Structures are given as structure tokens and as C-alpha cells.
Amino acid sequence: MNSPIPSSSSLPDSPLSKASILVIWVALPLIVCTAMAALSLGIIPKGVPGEWLWTAPNASLTSWELLAAAATITLYLGYISISFKLLELPTTRLIVVLSMFPAAALVQFGLHLSAPYGYGLAKWPICSFSPGCSGYYLIAKTEASDLPLFLENYPDWVKTKDALHIGTHPPGLIVSSWAWLHFWESYPDSAKTFMASLPAEMRDAARNVIRQGVIPAPDQASIVSIGASHWLLDAMCVWPIFFLVRKLGGTNLIAFQTASLWPVIPSTTMFLPASDSAFAWLVALAVTLSIRNQNSSPTASYCVKLLLCGLILGLGMFFSLVFLPAGMIIAILISAQPGISTRTKARNILTIGTGFLAITTLWATTTSSNPLSIWYSNQINHGRFYLEFPRTYWKWILADFAETTIGLGLPASLLLLTSLIIQFRSFKRRESLSSPAVITTVVLALLALSGKSLSEVGRLWLPFYPLLITPVFKTIPEFQSLKFHLWCIAWTMIQLIWLQSIVQVVYPI
């Protein structure tokens, strides 16, 4: 990590004219204000009318929440400004990299404080508890007291479950919920102390998740801990994003810019504490491990990284089938790498497959269950969703595009589109075809066109958003300036805070 921050005099010629750059500066606030105002006024629908719509929060922003929003924006912009300076010095560069995770966690916490009361920190315990939001905790509480027996019977048990949450997932989320519950039940006094230390909004939501009575302190601590763990795992994604961009040839500055965009991407905060938030760092880490450093020769350490990549994908498949398209993206990435023989590419993919089979065999043996049977039932149950909740195909193709654009953040979406157009128009067209952003875009588009991902893609596709943002600051030199980056971050945060007051996306409709 020794690449210096380029000065304006050392930057290469921009592929865009000065007028085009000015248009992009003006376009960022324009598209945010226009889109959010149209969404507020109902000009842009919050889904597909007559089939499925996001609902609005039943509370508006208070002065305190607006103050929290202003403070969060100011402090994060200040952190980024200081980090730009520290990145110039080899002695402080590591400090910046290490600080990215706590900074991301804190800014997401601040953004939750900026949401209408009941739709920020309250989401963490409510959504971890409510069967309409997830339901994994209640299964762990009521049906998995004998966890080994439950896991052994899981292949038959899951066949009869719903087409929403429980029936479409392997048992990992239930196991993690069981682990939190088992931990806090072992330390009931500590659970009370833990709950007493929490912010009032979160504490009150945990106490009142049922209409009558109060659940015990260990249960309260468990549902808060489930949400908090997803929050921390989501924030941790900044590290694999940073190293992924570095592997793709980005400087330390570009890698930091890209990673610092992650915690303010609207979907990352708005869909917390949904389990999808916890998967993004695993997907980004797996992709990072699968990519060989540019201009380097294959080494034994690269083979180890490929094995670890396979282990991560296998572990991920214990929690969600979202790791199937993740594996597909990685396989395409390896196959598209230039300058590598077909035999070597096949060997690399086989190495990943070895790691995948190893961890899958381990959890199959440990749980005495059949993963193939579980995954098959998950797919069958997911297919039932479109029978129980019919979707008009072409309307949802358009809705998927709109939700992805807004969920990724309108500024980031504009920069991504600009970057991809520039790459395809330049001599780097061949290189762009093997980039994670292009391959991920194609895979997600195929998922939508196949009819397998119609609606709620802002949540379902969240694990792939780290891959989509990799080129946004890399292609155009003017995007790499501190002023432009602060402008982009500020308007992304404004969009997110505004959006939180317009729609709620986690509670059951």
C-alpha cells in the first residue's frame, strides 16, 4: 500500500470534457432532489401499484433527528477530509485503513438516529423478533431447543415452510439466533445490564415486541444482539472493498474513496438488520480472495486464497442461497482473466470448488443433514412466492432497475453508469468486460430477466453492491479529488436521510 495520492498536475488526461464534469457536479444534487421529491409526492410509485408497495413511516423527522443527521454528515465528511491527508503519509496510512470499519459502523449508527422514531434503532430488535420480518429467532426459541435433532430433521422440516423467509433459507440464521439466545440465557444478569446500557429507542422496542407483557431480559438481549451483529458485519465490508479495489489496480486513494462510500449507500442502512446486510462482506471477501494481484505470478499463497474463497462460499451456503450467484460471478471473473491459460483457469476454479466441498461436507456431517435436499427445498419454496404473490413481469423489470438505482444511491449509480460508458468507449473495453462491476451487472440482469428476482432487489441484491461500486472513482481523474468525493458522499447521505422519511423497507407490509 505505497501508492501516493496523485496531485492535480500528475493526473492523466480526463476522458470527459470540463463541461461534462460540470454537468456531473450539478447532476448529483439535481437527481437526488428531483427523485426524492417525486417519491414524496407519489409521482414515482413506491413499487408497483395494485401488486406491492413500500409503506411510509407513520412519524416525521423531529428537530433532534434532523440535528443527528446534520451531525452525522458533518462528522463523516470531516473524517474523510482528514483521511485524505493521512493517506499521503506511509506512517499513517495503516491507521486510515484500520479506522474505516469503526467509522463505517458509527456513521451507520448515526444514520439510524436520523430516521423517524421507531424506524431507526428500533428496527434492530423488532425485525429480529417479528416472523413477518425474519422469524429465525422465534424458530430458535420455540422449535430448536434440541439443536442437533432440529438440524438433523431440517431437510424434511423445511419442505413445508413458507415462501418468504424460513422456507427459502438453509439453517444458518436459525443457528446463529440460537447461539445468541443460548449465550444470554447463560448470563441473565449480564443481559439486564446490557439492556440497561442501550439507547432508549432500542431498549423500548425490545421490551415491547409483543403486545401484552414483556419478554425476559435474555430474549431482549438476544434480538438486539442479532441486529447488532448484522450491523457490524455490514460495516466490516469496507475492508474487503478497499483491498478488492487495490487488487483491481486502484490506488490507496481510490480504494479508500470506494470503501468510504459503502456505509452511506441507502440499502446498507435502510435494510439493517435484515440478514442480507451481513452477507455483503463475505461476498466481497470471497471475490477479493479469488482475484490475483495485477502483474503478479501465481504463487502457493494464491492457491490458499482460492481455497479460502471456496470455504467462504460453502459457509455462506449454510446461511443463504445468495452465495450461488456469488459463486457464478467468481467463476466468470476467473474465466475472464486475461493472460491466463484455460488449464490454469480450470485449476483455479477447481481449487475453489475443493474448498466449497470441504466446508459443505463438514457442515453436512456435523448436522447429519443433506445440504442438497435443503437447497432444493429452498428453491422450490422460493418459486412458490410468485404463485402466492403474482407479479406483472415487465412492470417489475422496470421496478427492479429503479429500486437498484435508488438503493445503490443516485450519485453512485450516476458515477457507475458514467464509468462503464467511458470504459466501453475506450481502449480498456476488453479489460472492462472482465471487471467485477460489469460481470455482476450482467448476472443481476439475468436474474431479473429470468423472473427469479422480481421485487425487493434493494435487499436481495445488497450482497452484490460492493462489486458494483468498484469502478465509480477509478475511471475519471476528476472523480478522485477531495472536493468531488465530499460532494458525492454528502448528497448520498442526504438522499438516504430523506428516503428514510419517505419509505420503510424492513417491517412487514
Side-chain angles (χ1 to χ4, degrees):
M1 300 193 306
N2 54 4
S3 55
I5 296 179
S7 64
S8 57
S9 60
S10 65
L11 288 171
D13 293 336
S14 174
L16 293 180
S17 65
K18 291 183 178 179
S20 299
I21 295 295
L22 179 61
V23 168
I24 292 174
W25 272 80
V26 175
L28 294 187
L30 185 62
I31 62 174
V32 168
C33 293
T34 302
M36 293 302 99
L39 201 59
S40 298
L41 298 172
I43 299 172
I44 297 177
K46 303 169 185 176
V48 174
E51 295 187 11
W52 188 84
L53 295 170
W54 294 116
T55 57
N58 57 12
S60 58
L61 291 176
T62 64
S63 298
W64 159 250
E65 288 152 2
L66 289 172
L67 179 62
T72 302
I73 293 174
T74 302
L75 290 173
Y76 196 49
L77 295 183
Y79 163 77
I80 290 173
S81 300
I82 294 172
S83 297
F84 261 61
K85 295 295 184 182
L86 295 179
L87 278 168
E88 296 178 354
L89 306 173
T91 55
T92 54
R93 194 169 297 139
L94 179 60
I95 296 175
V96 174
V97 175
L98 293 176
S99 72
M100 288 192 301
F101 165 56
L106 289 173
V107 75
Q108 287 187 326
F109 192 88
L111 289 168
H112 273 93
L113 292 175
S114 309
Y117 190 87
Y119 297 90
L121 296 177
K123 293 188 303 183
W124 298 14
I126 292 174
C127 296
S128 299
F129 178 88
S130 171
C133 302
S134 57
Y136 310 108
Y137 161 81
L138 283 178
I139 296 298
K141 174 75 175 179
T142 60
E143 300 190 45
S145 56
D146 187 342
L147 186 62
L149 181 61
F150 175 79
L151 293 175
E152 184 178 346
N153 295 329
Y154 196 85
D156 293 328
W157 180 86
V158 76
K159 290 178 182 178
T160 61
K161 300 308 169 185
D162 63 29
L164 296 171
H165 298 292
I166 303 300
T168 60
H169 282 79
L173 293 169
I174 297 173
V175 173
S176 61
S177 299
W178 179 93
W180 277 119
L181 182 60
H182 183 74
F183 172 80
W184 286 117
E185 285 181 338
S186 301
Y187 302 98
D189 292 337
S190 297
K192 294 178 182 178
T193 303
F194 172 71
M195 291 304 301
S197 67
L198 297 178
E201 181 182 359
M202 186 183 294
R203 184 175 63 249
D204 293 344
R207 287 174 55 86
N208 300 308
V209 289
I210 55 177
R211 292 185 178 181
Q212 296 180 344
V214 177
I215 64 173
D219 294 76
Q220 296 177 39
S222 297
I223 57 178
V224 169
S225 298
I226 291 168
S229 62
H230 293 171
W231 158 55
L232 294 175
L233 290 173
D234 182 70
M236 195 184 297
C237 192
V238 293
W239 282 334
I241 290 174
F242 179 89
F243 290 108
L244 175 58
V245 175
R246 292 287 287 132
K247 275 195 169 185
L248 295 171
T251 63
N252 289 312
L253 168 66
I254 296 172
F256 173 79
Q257 285 183 284
T258 309
S260 64
L261 180 61
W262 174 254
V264 301
I265 286 176
S267 280
T268 62
T269 295
M270 293 194 66
F271 282 100
L272 279 172
S275 57
D276 309 80
S277 305
F279 300 145
W281 77 280
L282 278 175
V283 172
L285 179 58
V287 173
T288 302
L289 291 170
S290 72
I291 295 179
R292 199 176 72 193
N293 284 321
Q294 292 190 351
N295 303 321
S296 66
S297 302
T299 61
S301 64
Y302 180 57
C303 293
V304 173
K305 291 176 182 178
L306 292 175
L307 275 173
L308 289 174
C309 173
L311 291 173
I312 290 171
L313 293 176
L315 175 64
M317 286 293 288
F318 185 60
F319 291 87
S320 173
L321 298 193
V322 75
F323 289 89
L324 277 176
M328 180 188 301
I329 290 170
I330 289 171
I332 297 173
L333 273 171
I334 292 176
S335 300
Q337 285 180 341
I340 302 176
S341 68
T342 302
R343 182 177 179 180
T344 300
K345 293 175 181 178
R347 185 181 62 199
N348 292 342
I349 293 174
L350 181 61
T351 303
I352 293 175
T354 302
F356 178 87
L357 288 175
I359 196 68
T360 303
T361 302
L362 176 63
W363 73 260
T365 304
T366 303
T367 62
S368 301
S369 62
N370 183 351
L372 294 178
S373 175
I374 293 172
W375 297 335
Y376 177 76
S377 296
N378 293 154
Q379 289 283 51
I380 295 297
N381 291 337
H382 175 70
R384 285 185 12 241
F385 173 85
Y386 298 103
L387 298 177
E388 299 175 10
F389 306 94
R391 298 285 191 255
T392 302
Y393 177 79
W394 67 270
K395 291 182 179 179
W396 281 103
I397 295 296
L398 296 176
D400 281 358
F401 173 78
E403 187 172 329
T404 302
T405 302
I406 293 174
L408 190 63
L410 292 166
S413 296
L414 176 62
L415 299 188
L416 173 62
L417 179 62
T418 304
S419 297
L420 294 180
I421 290 174
I422 292 298
Q423 286 185 21
F424 277 106
R425 290 177 58 186
S426 72
F427 65 91
K428 294 184 178 181
R429 187 175 303 160
R430 179 180 176 85
E431 177 184 327
S432 67
L433 289 174
S434 61
S435 75
V438 172
I439 292 171
T440 301
T441 300
V442 171
V443 170
L444 295 183
L446 291 175
L447 283 174
L449 293 172
S450 71
K452 300 297 184 182
S453 291
L454 301 179
S455 80
E456 213 170 340
V457 294
R459 174 180 65 84
L460 297 174
W461 290 355
L462 179 55
F464 306 107
Y465 283 4
L467 310 182
L468 291 178
I469 65 174
T470 52
V472 294
F473 296 109
K474 184 180 176 184
T475 309
I476 301 173
E478 283 81 1
F479 287 2
Q480 298 159 29
S481 70
L482 173 60
K483 289 182 180 179
F484 182 81
H485 187 56
L486 295 178
W487 189 244
C488 178
I489 292 289
W491 281 104
T492 304
M493 295 179 78
I494 290 170
Q495 181 205 320
L496 169 53
I497 292 164
W498 195 342
L499 191 61
Q500 286 184 134
S501 68
I502 300 172
V503 297
Q504 64 84 13
V505 297
V506 177
Y507 295 150
I509 295 174

